[in-house]
Amino acid sequence: MLKRSFYLVVGMVSLCLGFIGIVMPLLPTVPFILLAAYCFARSSKRMHAWLLTHPWFAQALADWQTKKAINAKLKKKAYLVVIASFSISILVVPLVWVKIMLGCMCVALLLYLRSIPQC
């Protein structure tokens, strides 16, 4: 029971972070949604089924489960969102060292996205 509760809490936190990651440049959405799916599979059949049928995540989760890859169209969207959100952040932040840090984080995230296979 304790293990199931742990997975449920971690799944809910991951799901929340994934939703926040949709609009926040520093939080990657996909890894948090994948973690939520993993945790829900071990804790809540209802939440797992909901996540697997959610219109925003169903196809990406299915691709990941079957092919260990993400759709090329989704990957392009991820590139665009990362570039747009980091660009806005870099323009808004007044401190040069923070701009440099954001630029480095943007490059790292883009390289990570590039390393994920696409289907």
Side-chain angles (χ1 to χ4, degrees):
M1 185 66 180
L2 184 63
K3 188 176 178 180
R4 186 171 173 231
S5 297
F6 172 76
Y7 279 122
L8 184 61
V9 169
V10 172
M12 294 301 285
V13 170
S14 296
L15 184 62
C16 289
L17 290 172
F19 276 119
I20 293 169
I22 292 171
V23 295
M24 293 287 291
L26 300 179
L27 289 175
T29 300
V30 173
F32 285 119
I33 299 302
L34 292 174
L35 178 60
Y38 175 86
C39 291
F40 290 152
R42 283 145 186 80
S43 63
S44 171
K45 289 180 183 180
R46 185 176 62 110
M47 288 300 294
H48 189 247
W50 175 81
L51 192 58
L52 291 178
T53 58
H54 192 281
W56 292 357
F57 309 121
Q59 186 60 48
L61 289 171
D63 288 343
W64 186 258
Q65 285 182 330
T66 59
K67 304 170 191 168
K68 295 293 184 223
I70 60 174
N71 182 301
K73 186 177 177 181
L74 180 61
K75 199 170 189 178
K76 286 179 185 176
K77 283 182 185 177
Y79 281 130
L80 291 173
V81 169
V82 167
I83 291 168
S85 60
F86 272 94
S87 296
I88 291 168
S89 297
I90 289 169
L91 290 173
V92 170
V93 172
L95 301 172
V96 174
W97 70 271
V98 175
K99 290 178 187 255
I100 293 169
M101 181 186 70
L102 286 169
C104 292
M105 293 173 88
C106 180
V107 169
L109 186 53
L110 290 172
L111 289 173
Y112 170 72
L113 282 172
R114 184 176 172 209
S115 73
I116 298 173
Q118 68 185 35
C119 53

